[in-house]
Amino acid sequence: MPTTSNTRLFNGTVLNFASGAVAKLVGLTYKVDGVVVDVTVPEDLNKLYECGHDDIEVTAKIKGPCALTRKAKGTLGITWSNGTTVTCPGTFQVTAIENSGDQDAPITGSITFKPTVPDGA
């Protein structure tokens, strides 16, 4: 039976916000997308696009209720379990918090972070 390398697992991933680790992290999504700009000219046979400004969003899934507050600001960094790091640019802000629970089940939640102050500001 093949074995799975621990470097491919999520366990051990750390999300640091405002100089502290987000407690009881059980899942994480780091998303970078943005507006797509149509740059097609009449001579083009296919529609052509360029990427506009990046839109970064980080969503953390946690076990237990969230101790952070909406509008809290700080630096944000991710250290994935395989040692890869992501330093999110500028200052980030907590934009959404969700806590939920069901009978006989643990309380779970999610925290969404988005950039709020540009680099160098």
Side-chain angles (χ1 to χ4, degrees):
M1 182 166 163
T3 59
T4 302
S5 168
N6 284 339
T7 61
R8 292 183 7 205
L9 298 177
F10 175 80
N11 299 358
T13 296
V14 177
L15 175 65
N16 285 303
F17 177 67
S19 302
V22 174
K24 299 183 182 178
L25 186 67
V26 296
L28 185 66
T29 302
Y30 172 74
K31 180 180 176 182
V32 180
D33 67 2
V35 176
V36 178
V37 180
D38 183 348
V39 294
T40 309
V41 295
E43 305 82 46
D44 294 327
L45 297 176
N46 296 312
K47 271 193 126 174
L48 303 175
Y49 299 92
E50 288 291 332
C51 289
H53 293 291
D54 285 345
D55 185 6
I56 302 171
E57 180 177 283
V58 175
T59 302
K61 294 179 193 175
I62 59 170
K63 184 176 180 181
C66 176
L68 294 174
T69 58
R70 195 171 163 287
K71 300 182 183 179
K73 295 179 183 180
T75 57
L76 190 67
I78 302 166
T79 303
W80 295 101
S81 61
N82 67 358
T84 303
T85 60
V86 176
T87 302
C88 299
T91 300
F92 275 67
Q93 184 173 35
V94 176
T95 58
I97 297 171
E98 180 181 347
N99 291 308
S100 63
D102 294 306
Q103 186 172 335
D104 298 326
I107 296 170
T108 60
S110 65
I111 312 161
T112 302
F113 304 88
K114 284 196 166 238
T116 186
V117 178
D119 287 338

